[in-house]
């Protein structure tokens, strides 16, 4: 494959994608970064990638960059607002940053790709775009987001789709469902659980009944790259397991995995407003094309536990 560009490559999902690209011996991987970016997730492969400092909201800068690099594929993973709460407290709730990153940057990236004749753009979205449903969320469902993050991601996706169709870009948009695993952001549910068990500290949680479609990171990055490996029509796709699990399910699995124990304190932090009773992906569309998650909750959490056990220094 010729060169690829990745935005958001220093974040959780983005860094895992960059590692996968390097593992597949793609030598010209360009990661667009900001001045304030932290590179700890990429530390072991910095000599195998190219870091490019650029403003992804600047159309002229992006167009010049793409024209110079001539990437075959651009992966757009930069996002803001995916973590609205951290340890029960508000986090990543700046509306201006959500508009800038999730709408403007997404739009400028497609425009730059068209101007520089990039063949393919692969972007990631969120299940938050759907809003609460009483059934598994399908790509055919109406999107009725209930927060600014979901609304801005949806807006960015809709504008990008229209621009890509008009400009002849093959545009793929993957809505991710509760991805977890190596390099996940500290303060999120899974890292919090891992740290408590590994250190035998009290585990402070909201409700045991909160539900999500927990998707292991390797499945997510494999799905994001799937259009490069199989015949996949451009469009919007869900990436999840199709199985709903609760916070209590996660804790129960860890109690079986970990040789150490911890005290679980449900109700000790504020619940997230508007917690749904159902939150799971309908993955029939992508499954019909040959992709499906390989890791169930137990095996994914085992791999995650092993990784955290070897990398706790990043979470202390």
């Amino acid at each position: 494959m010729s060169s690829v560009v990745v935005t958001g490559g220093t974040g959780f999902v983005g860094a895992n994608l960059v590692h996968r690209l390097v593992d597949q011996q793609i030598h010209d991987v360009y990661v667009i970064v900001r001045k304030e970016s932290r590179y700890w997730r990429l530390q072991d492969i910095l000599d195998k990638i190219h870091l490019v400092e650029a403003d992804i909201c600047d159309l002229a800068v992006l167009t010049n960059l793409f024209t110079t690099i001539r990437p075959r594929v651009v992966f757009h993973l930069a996002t803001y607002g995916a973590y609205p709460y951290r340890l029960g407290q508000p986090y990543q709730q700046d509306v201006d940053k959500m508009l800038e990153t999730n709408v403007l940057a997404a739009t400028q990236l497609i425009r730059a790709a068209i101007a520089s004749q990039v063949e393919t753009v692969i972007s990631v979205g969120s299940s938050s775009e759907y809003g609460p449903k009483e059934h598994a969320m399908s790509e055919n469902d109406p999107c009725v987001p209930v927060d600014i993050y979901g609304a801005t991601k949806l807006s960015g996706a809709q504008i990008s789709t229209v621009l890509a169709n008009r400009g002849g870009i093959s545009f793929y948009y993957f809505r991710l469902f509760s991805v977890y695993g190596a390099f996940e952001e500290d303060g999120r549910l899974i890292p919090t659980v891992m740290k408590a068990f590994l250190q035998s500290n009290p585990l402070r949680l909201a409700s045991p009944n909160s539900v999500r479609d927990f998707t292991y990171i390797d499945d997510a990055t494999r799905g994001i790259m799937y259009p490069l490996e199989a015949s996949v029509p451009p469009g919007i796709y869900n990436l999840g397991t199709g199985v709903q699990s609760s916070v209590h399910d996660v804790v129960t699995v860890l109690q079986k995995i970990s040789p150490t124990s911890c005290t679980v304190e449900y109700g000790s932090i504020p619940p997230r407003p508007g917690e749904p009773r159902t939150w799971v992906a309908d993955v029939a569309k992508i499954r019909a094309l040959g992709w499906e998650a390989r890791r169930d909750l137990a095996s994914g959490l085992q791999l995650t536990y092993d990784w955290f056990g070897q990398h706790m220094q990043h979470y202390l």
Side-chain angles (χ1 to χ4, degrees):
M1 182 191 299
S2 57
S3 63
V4 302
V5 170
V6 182
T7 73
T10 60
F12 162 43
V13 179
N16 277 279
L17 177 68
V18 173
H19 276 84
R20 180 176 286 273
L21 290 167
V22 170
D23 288 344
Q24 295 194 1
Q25 299 184 340
I26 298 174
H27 300 294
D28 291 321
V29 179
Y30 293 82
V31 181
I32 300 180
V33 299
R34 300 169 298 169
K35 287 182 179 180
E36 63 269 29
S37 293
R38 297 169 58 230
Y39 306 130
W40 69 272
R41 293 181 175 94
L42 303 175
Q43 198 64 48
D44 59 330
I45 56 171
L46 284 176
D47 60 336
K48 299 176 182 177
I49 61 178
H50 308 278
L51 299 180
V52 181
E53 189 175 302
D55 180 359
I56 59 174
C57 292
D58 191 316
L59 177 59
V61 168
L62 281 179
T63 302
N64 181 65
L65 179 62
F66 293 168
T67 301
T68 301
I69 295 174
R70 289 292 179 190
R72 177 192 160 200
V73 180
V74 174
F75 292 94
H76 181 46
L77 284 80
T79 191
Y80 177 85
Y83 305 125
Y85 292 91
R86 186 177 184 180
L87 298 176
Q89 300 300 315
Y91 183 68
Q92 283 196 359
Q93 295 192 7
D94 187 316
V95 174
D96 288 336
K97 286 186 179 180
M98 282 188 243
L99 287 166
E100 182 179 81
T101 307
N102 302 339
V103 182
L104 180 59
T107 301
Q108 302 294 58
L109 185 138
I110 295 293
R111 295 174 69 195
I114 293 169
S116 54
Q117 299 182 323
V118 173
E119 295 178 14
T120 302
V121 174
I122 300 176
S123 185
V124 297
S126 168
S127 59
S128 296
E129 296 170 52
Y130 288 115
K133 309 293 181 191
E134 295 297 324
H135 54 265
M137 299 173 185
S138 164
E139 295 89 346
N140 295 323
D141 282 336
C143 289
V144 189
V146 295
D147 57 23
I148 301 300
Y149 172 66
T152 54
K153 290 297 290 183
L154 178 61
S155 297
Q158 291 175 325
I159 297 170
S160 295
T161 298
V162 172
L163 288 173
N165 288 340
R166 289 180 177 178
I169 298 285
S170 293
F171 180 61
Y172 299 88
Y173 190 77
F174 290 103
R175 289 191 175 127
L176 305 182
F177 281 71
S178 301
V179 181
Y180 70 95
F183 298 121
E184 189 174 359
E185 187 80 11
D186 194 13
R188 297 282 287 168
L189 172 66
I190 301 300
T192 299
V193 173
M194 295 296 166
K195 289 168 64 177
F197 275 93
L198 285 163
Q199 299 176 317
S200 296
N201 290 333
L203 177 57
R204 302 175 65 247
L205 298 171
S207 170
N209 301 317
S210 296
V211 293
R212 292 293 185 273
D213 185 337
F214 293 105
T215 307
Y216 185 58
I217 184 63
D218 283 1
D219 284 327
T221 56
R222 187 170 50 83
I224 293 167
M225 289 186 62
Y226 196 59
L228 308 183
E229 304 165 3
S231 179
V232 179
I236 295 174
Y237 297 90
N238 288 339
L239 284 183
T241 67
V243 177
Q244 177 172 288
S245 301
S246 68
V247 170
H248 179 69
D249 293 332
V250 171
V251 172
T252 299
V253 170
L254 262 296
Q255 288 171 333
K256 295 176 181 178
I257 288 174
S258 178
T260 58
S261 61
C262 68
T263 303
V264 183
E265 301 175 358
Y266 289 116
S268 56
I269 63 173
R272 181 173 174 174
E275 272 294 306
R277 294 177 298 178
T278 302
W279 203 278
V280 62
D282 180 336
V283 291
K285 184 177 179 181
I286 189 70
R287 184 177 287 163
L289 297 172
W291 181 93
E292 62 182 337
R294 294 173 179 170
R295 294 291 176 185
D296 61 9
L297 186 65
S299 62
L301 288 176
Q302 177 69 70
L303 291 168
T304 305
Y305 181 85
D306 294 342
W307 185 89
F308 270 84
Q310 298 171 16
H311 298 86
M312 275 295 294
Q313 71 272 18
H314 297 299
Y315 294 85
L316 298 176

